[in-house]
Amino acid sequence: MSELVVVTVPLPEPVLGWLGSRYALKIWDQTTQISEDLLAEWVQPAHGILCSVGTPVTKKVIEAAPALRVISTISVGTDHIDLASAHHCGVPVGFTPDVLVDSTADMAVALMLAVTRRVPEADRFIRNGGWHAGWSTGFFLGTDLSRATVGIIGLGPTGQAVATRLRGFGSQLIGWNRTPRVVEGVELTDLETLFGRADIVTLHTASTPDTYQLVNAARLAAMRDGAILINTARGALVEESALARELASGRLRAGLDVFAEEPLPQDSLLMQLDNVVFTPHLGSATGPTRQAMIERALENLSAGMTEEALPWQVKSE
Ligand code: DGY
């Protein structure tokens, strides 16, 4: 077996078995991220890279691999891959669209409910032995999704799936998309109106140079008192230090699945705040969804290794 695939993401045994029956493998199975230098060394003789969101596949890595035929990521997001360099070097990039839409939309709504109904806070309250008094009318009050105006930023498949769910809750929906898009029950607005009107802002747009820190200090300041930011897309969409300041002041609340730096550093100011609910990048984390993502990524990898068109190839600019 002379063809080499570098695998930078831990995978289930049967998947490794399948890969190992076809290719020589070099596998990074640590929970920490492989360094750029080591990855650049590993890929020198490689024909394929199988990776996911935790591994930056940089210009240096791509240029270090003259025999590279394909980069296949087990993710829909591709902001960890230098697409321009891949394009320049003629290396196709495969990704896994569509199959994680519902799981990610569910997670966005889960975070909305967790924040509005204070679920983790109430859980901590009981566990920490705080529940001594009985039921009372003003105890742990939250807010209702049925009374909320929700601003959806990004009306692609995941934004639309969130809209479908929230129509069922009776929320009022407003939305923004880079190219205006008609979505049932969603009133299109500009970004400034959306930030000023929404009780909940939820992010479903890709992370690109254009959307970097789209949720900046000024837009956070324009949000209503008590409003909630939900992010299941990418940390780079948010000016995180400005968000931490708004949360620390107690003016806003948040539900965050993704962060500027992952894992979220223990000394992050966000860690000290009670008005934010965290999940560790779990938007697509259900068994069937991850299985479907892996299957797509393997199909992309196999096609690229035999220099066929990838079934799910990222379009180059
Ligand atoms: C993706 O696919 O881009 C998610 O962020 C990870 O599942």
Side-chain angles (χ1 to χ4, degrees):
M1 241 179 306
S2 58
E3 289 173 323
L4 174 68
V5 173
V6 171
V7 180
T8 69
V9 57
L11 289 169
E13 266 315 315
V15 176
L16 288 175
W18 185 89
L19 284 166
S21 68
R22 292 166 170 243
Y23 313 113
L25 300 178
K26 194 130 174 89
I27 303 170
W28 179 261
D29 57 5
Q30 313 289 309
T31 48
T32 54
Q33 199 170 288
I34 188 169
S35 72
E36 185 186 38
D37 283 346
L38 185 58
L39 184 57
E41 194 185 308
W42 277 22
V43 297
Q44 273 168 29
H47 303 93
I49 298 178
L50 182 61
C51 61
S52 193
V53 293
T55 316
V57 182
T58 60
K59 183 173 195 279
K60 176 172 174 169
V61 169
I62 295 167
E63 288 181 352
L68 196 60
R69 296 179 195 157
V70 58
I71 301 168
S72 174
T73 182
I74 307 172
S75 64
V76 67
T78 52
D79 52 319
H80 53 296
I81 300 171
D82 188 328
L83 296 177
S85 295
H87 181 58
H88 181 74
C89 295
V91 180
V93 177
F95 70 144
T96 65
D98 308 327
V99 288
L100 55 154
V101 166
D102 284 321
S103 301
T104 308
D106 285 353
M107 181 56 96
V109 175
L111 285 172
M112 288 178 203
L113 288 167
V115 178
T116 53
R117 301 305 302 274
R118 305 170 61 183
V119 175
E121 200 186 329
D123 178 88
R124 286 194 295 272
F125 175 78
I126 294 183
R127 288 177 199 283
N128 294 338
W131 195 16
H132 306 302
W135 191 95
S136 74
T137 53
F139 191 42
F140 262 99
L141 299 185
T143 52
D144 293 302
L145 279 188
S146 60
R147 292 189 171 86
T149 297
V150 181
I152 304 173
I153 295 186
L155 293 167
T158 310
Q160 291 179 34
V162 168
T164 303
R165 284 154 178 73
L166 293 178
R167 282 199 301 272
F169 280 87
S171 311
Q172 187 173 352
L173 303 178
I174 57 179
W176 175 86
N177 198 59
R178 196 194 322 223
T179 47
R181 193 171 260 184
V182 177
V183 177
E184 188 191 337
V186 181
E187 177 195 343
L188 288 183
T189 67
D190 57 65
L191 277 174
E192 276 33 71
T193 307
L194 185 146
F195 277 93
R197 266 179 64 190
D199 300 299
I200 301 173
V201 174
T202 184
L203 306 179
H204 302 288
T205 193
S207 171
T208 65
D210 288 346
T211 58
Y212 179 71
Q213 296 194 349
L214 175 143
V215 186
N216 57 22
R219 289 187 171 135
L220 289 164
M223 286 173 75
R224 306 171 66 152
D225 287 351
I228 297 168
L229 180 73
I230 300 294
N231 191 2
T232 54
R234 281 294 182 272
L237 298 174
V238 179
E239 189 179 339
E240 202 169 270
S241 54
L243 175 64
R245 283 196 299 277
E246 288 283 3
L247 294 169
S249 78
R251 211 181 66 75
L252 299 182
R253 298 174 283 166
L256 304 177
D257 184 50
V258 287
F259 304 87
E261 184 182 341
E262 296 181 4
L264 181 64
Q266 285 297 320
D267 63 357
S268 163
L269 175 57
L270 290 173
M271 284 284 197
Q272 298 161 25
L273 306 173
D274 234 16
N275 49 353
V276 47
V277 175
F278 299 129
T279 47
H281 205 142
L282 297 181
S284 63
T286 72
T289 292
R290 285 288 161 81
Q291 181 63 30
M293 292 167 73
I294 290 171
E295 281 167 14
R296 290 205 159 179
L298 294 183
E299 285 186 51
N300 282 332
L301 181 76
S302 322
M305 292 296 278
T306 49
E307 297 183 272
E308 288 160 51
L310 313 192
W312 297 280
Q313 181 169 339
V314 177
K315 288 197 184 71
S316 44
E317 294 298 303

